Each structure stands twice: as C-alpha cells, then as structure tokens.
Amino acid sequence: AQSVTQLDSQVPVFEEAPVELRCNYSSSVSVYLFWYVQYPNQGLQLLLKYLSGSTLVKGINGFEAEFNKSQTSFHLRKPSVHISDTAEYFCAVSPLMNSGYSTLTFGKGTMLLVSP
Amino acid sequence: GAVVSQHPSRVICKSGTSVKIECRSLDFQATTMFWYRQFPKQSLMLMATSNEGSKATYEQGVEKDKFLINHASLTLSTLTVTSAHPEDSSFYICSARAGLRTGGTEAFFGQGTRLTVV
C-alpha cells in the first residue's frame, strides 16, 4: 500500500515570492509521482509527473518538482508565485504496474494562499 | 491533454430522490473510469473503479447499492446516488484513463459535481 503525506495544510506567501510545497510518500514498490492543482469547485488539473529519468521535472505554469528517492520526497517549487496560483495542491502516487497506471493515492492537499 | 466532461456541475435534490452524474471522455476512449468523493477541505477518496463492460469495483466502505456505477461505453460512465440523504452531500469527481495499448498512462479529471441534498 502507498501513503502520501503533505506536511503543510496551508502555505501563505506573498506575490512574486518563491514557494515550496512539501510531499513525502511511503511505498513498498516503485511509484509514479504526480502533482495536481484544484481551483474552487473544479476538478483536478495535472501540473507535472515523474515517471522515470531525470529527477527534476518541469510542469505547467512555471512549477517544477524534484524526486528524491532516498528521502522519499517529491517537493513542488515555483520561483515566483502569482495571485492566480492560489489553489489547493495535491500530491499523488501510483504504483508501477505492467498494465500502466494503477489507482492514485492522494495526499490531503496543501492550500497555497498568495497575497499581494 | 485529453478532456473529461462531467455533468451536472451542481445539483440540488430532495432527500429520498436519486441523482445521476455523467462522466464523458470527449476525445479518447476511456477503458477505465474512477469515481472520487471529496469532503470539504479534504483529499479525494476513491469510491470505485469501473472498466468498460464490467461491473465496478468498489472500495471498502462504499455501498454499491447506494452508489450505482455504469460504464456501458468507452466514453461514458454514470454514477447514480440512490435515495439520497443529506449526508451524501459532497463534491464528486470522475477521472478517466485510456487503455495502455492506446497510450493511456494518465488519468484525466472531470470538473466535478457539487451535490447538495436538502
């Protein structure tokens, strides 16, 4: 079984400041890793994903994340945030399977609050 | 990315009635669809997984007779909340994934349905 821990339930930050949203996972097998963003009353949009290869993954909207296998972490970063980045961010994992992706296990989410 | 359309986005119904939520993959064939429930300020809880043409697999604790899932075609899955009660009020989200042979290694999410039972 897999589990995902997002250490911060809420992260307040000023506009144009850098931000890091933390994610740690636990799994007995290798996993794929994802970050999703959810705006109020909307579904989830994929920001980025790590499948294999380079541990630094770049996604949409200027976000990037780094996979650290030894620390079982997949922290999300952005060097300069905008007001429009205010949203809920979910980290998720999926175990590697020959049949492709399996079901996703989500963290509890981190609310990013960007203020002027 | 691929588009998954979920309808309706909001629905209010009376206690005891049934509500159907549709999830459509608009530009790909969804071999597998997932239904999630999200409580306020919480993460997504997987309710069930359905493969086209097969019965849905429900997660532990989810009542299959209350949450009826039909995945009759490769582009449509429906979730029917039967005899809805106020405690069923929640945000329901579907996601869809294409088959592996057609490059389906990613699940795409619908925009969600806010169900309020009064």
Side-chain angles (χ1 to χ4, degrees):
Chain A
Q2 293 73 44
S3 67
V4 178
T5 302
Q6 291 183 245
L7 297 168
D8 305 299
S9 59
Q10 194 166 295
V11 173
V13 65
F14 289 110
E15 192 175 19
E16 297 184 5
V19 70
E20 178 180 83
L21 305 183
R22 296 180 291 172
C23 172
N24 288 87
Y25 69 93
S26 174
S27 177
S28 57
V29 300
S30 296
V31 294
Y32 296 130
L33 295 148
F34 308 82
W35 274 100
Y36 287 88
V37 60
Q38 183 181 36
Y39 299 100
N41 290 311
Q42 293 190 29
L44 276 66
Q45 180 183 8
L46 181 67
L47 277 178
L48 47 79
K49 60 187 176 185
Y50 172 77
L51 306 181
S52 64
S54 172
T55 57
L56 182 62
V57 181
K58 293 189 183 296
I60 62 172
N61 301 343
F63 284 94
E64 63 179 35
E66 185 155 20
F67 169 54
N68 188 318
K69 189 174 183 179
S70 62
Q71 297 185 3
T72 60
S73 68
F74 190 54
H75 301 332
L76 181 71
R77 302 185 185 98
K78 186 170 183 177
S80 176
V81 295
H82 302 290
I83 297 285
S84 59
D85 292 323
T86 295
E88 190 85 28
Y89 291 79
F90 291 97
C91 181
V93 301
S94 174
L96 266 67
M97 294 180 70
N98 291 332
S99 56
Y101 289 26
S102 179
T103 55
L104 293 164
T105 299
F106 288 89
K108 292 188 175 181
T110 297
M111 183 66 192
L112 175 63
L113 294 167
V114 183
S115 54
Chain B
V3 178
V4 174
S5 176
Q6 191 172 336
H7 179 80
S9 58
R10 289 177 181 270
V11 59
I12 301 173
C13 71
K14 290 185 177 180
S15 186
T17 62
S18 295
V19 174
K20 181 184 284 188
I21 302 170
E22 292 188 348
C23 181
R24 294 181 184 272
S25 57
L26 297 186
D27 50 2
F28 69 100
Q29 293 184 322
T31 303
T32 307
M33 287 190 170
F34 307 88
W35 286 96
Y36 295 85
R37 183 172 180 176
Q38 186 179 28
F39 293 98
K41 307 291 184 183
Q42 293 191 33
S43 187
L44 282 75
M45 180 192 77
L46 179 66
M47 298 174 66
T49 302
S50 72
N51 290 297
E52 185 266 339
S54 304
K55 288 185 178 180
T57 301
Y58 289 81
E59 295 299 304
Q60 191 173 7
V62 178
E63 300 175 59
K64 60 180 69 176
D65 293 332
K66 176 146 191 81
F67 299 100
L68 300 178
I69 292 172
N70 185 290
H71 191 170
S73 78
L74 284 172
T75 58
L76 174 65
S77 176
T78 59
L79 167 67
T80 301
V81 182
T82 63
S83 187
H85 289 96
E87 56 265 31
D88 299 325
S89 298
S90 193
F91 194 60
Y92 294 88
I93 305 176
C94 71
S95 73
R97 192 185 76 196
L100 185 63
R101 271 183 278 180
T102 54
T105 57
E106 179 176 332
F108 300 92
F109 287 80
Q111 59 267 55
T113 297
R114 172 73 61 194
L115 170 63
T116 303
V117 185
V118 298

